[in-house]
Amino acid sequence: LAAFYGQKIATVAIKAAASFVDMSPVSDTVKSQYSGSLALRHNSGWNTAFAVGGQDMKGDANRQHPWFVYLKLGYRTKALNSLGRMAFSLDYGVFDELNAVDEEATVWGLQLVQSIDAWHTEIFAGWRRHSLDSPGIDSGAINLVGTGARLKF
């Protein structure tokens, strides 16, 4: 079951979605799962996105209560240069008990996208830090950096 919403109200574009799935017929451990998201974009260039979800478990897995929360804040502007629109964003997510009881993962990210209108291209760069707190596992944080380009034709 899913529902979607999209509307522009005054100076704010809104998109939202929600879902629910009965997993009992196809899973021995997951009874159901649910998720929802909301994204807002203001004419000024500021934008944000929020998502949340989780699962209801069954049987021996019922001790586990998996869920996640994700938040992104961004800004888009053409005022910084004559190449095209530039976008910046910061995001954060928490993922709890997705694989095991008392396990928690977090992620932070910074992203930058520069459009080059004359070339129909976007170049991008991003940094993301992943960390995991899991009983019995000694893991350090992982930092990832990525860059690239997208040609639109």
Side-chain angles (χ1 to χ4, degrees):
L1 177 65
F4 302 93
Y5 175 81
Q7 184 73 36
K8 184 158 186 178
I9 300 174
T11 59
V12 179
I14 303 167
K15 289 190 178 181
S19 69
F20 174 84
V21 179
D22 178 6
M23 298 293 293
S24 291
V26 295
S27 175
D28 294 331
T29 57
V30 180
K31 188 178 352 178
S32 62
Q33 65 184 36
Y34 49 89
S35 63
S37 64
L38 173 67
L40 306 171
R41 188 179 69 229
H42 190 265
N43 283 351
S44 67
W46 288 101
N47 56 83
T48 188
F50 174 75
V52 63
Q55 295 178 322
D56 291 322
M57 308 303 281
K58 61 184 178 182
D60 291 339
N62 198 32
R63 300 182 342 229
Q64 192 176 331
H65 301 284
W67 59 268
F68 77 91
V69 173
Y70 174 81
L71 178 64
K72 183 175 184 176
L73 178 63
Y75 183 70
R76 299 183 332 169
T77 183
K78 287 187 173 185
L80 296 179
N81 62 57
S82 61
L83 295 174
R85 179 175 294 163
M86 183 178 281
F88 308 89
S89 66
L90 166 69
D91 64 358
Y92 175 73
V94 176
F95 307 87
D96 196 64
E97 295 190 348
L98 293 185
N99 293 309
V101 173
D102 296 330
E103 179 181 84
E104 182 178 282
T106 57
V107 62
W108 284 94
L110 292 169
Q111 298 82 30
L112 168 68
V113 178
Q114 173 65 61
S115 293
I116 305 173
D117 295 340
W119 295 351
H120 305 283
T121 301
E122 292 176 341
I123 55 174
F124 56 87
W127 164 79
R128 187 167 291 289
R129 179 181 179 87
H130 298 263
S131 43
L132 175 66
D133 182 13
S134 185
I137 298 175
D138 185 19
S139 64
I142 299 171
N143 290 287
L144 301 171
V145 174
T147 62
R150 181 175 84 148
L151 304 173
K152 297 186 275 182
F153 51 102

